[in-house]
Amino acid sequence: NMKADSATLRNEMDALYEYITTVVFAYNVITPAEELAQYIRRVNVFINDANTAYNQRTGNTKKTGDKVPAPPSSSGTDTPGTQPTDPDTGGDDNPYEDEDGGLAG
């Protein structure tokens, strides 16, 4: 019957989310599996849906080509808006690769 305030609960949820996504991403890098890749894709869809719902609820809309801003976090970090990256489907540009995908020298 104990009630936690929303800021404390949000901080705990943010930490758990960060831990879970980090473990899943790292495991997928070490031992790639279709099940993990599918899970990551589903989490990404869920995050995008949540961000879209948040933006619609608050009246924020995005222009074509703009990224959806993450909902604000009570902890002041952007962790909840981050997404696990599936190495099989791309992701952020690798600063160590040149234009052809080789190592930049």
Side-chain angles (χ1 to χ4, degrees), residues 32-90:
E34 182 54 36
E35 293 84 7
L36 284 173
Q38 185 178 22
Y39 173 79
I40 292 171
R41 284 190 293 272
R42 286 181 179 175
V43 168
N44 287 339
V45 168
F46 174 74
I47 291 168
N48 288 333
D49 289 348
N51 285 338
T52 299
Y54 173 83
N55 289 332
Q56 289 174 346
R57 187 174 64 247
T58 60
N60 293 333
T61 58
K62 68 175 188 171
K63 297 177 185 173
T64 304
D66 287 351
K67 290 185 177 181
V68 176
S73 166
S74 61
S75 65
T77 65
D78 292 333
T79 302
T82 60
Q83 298 179 12
T85 303
D86 182 0
D88 297 334
T89 60

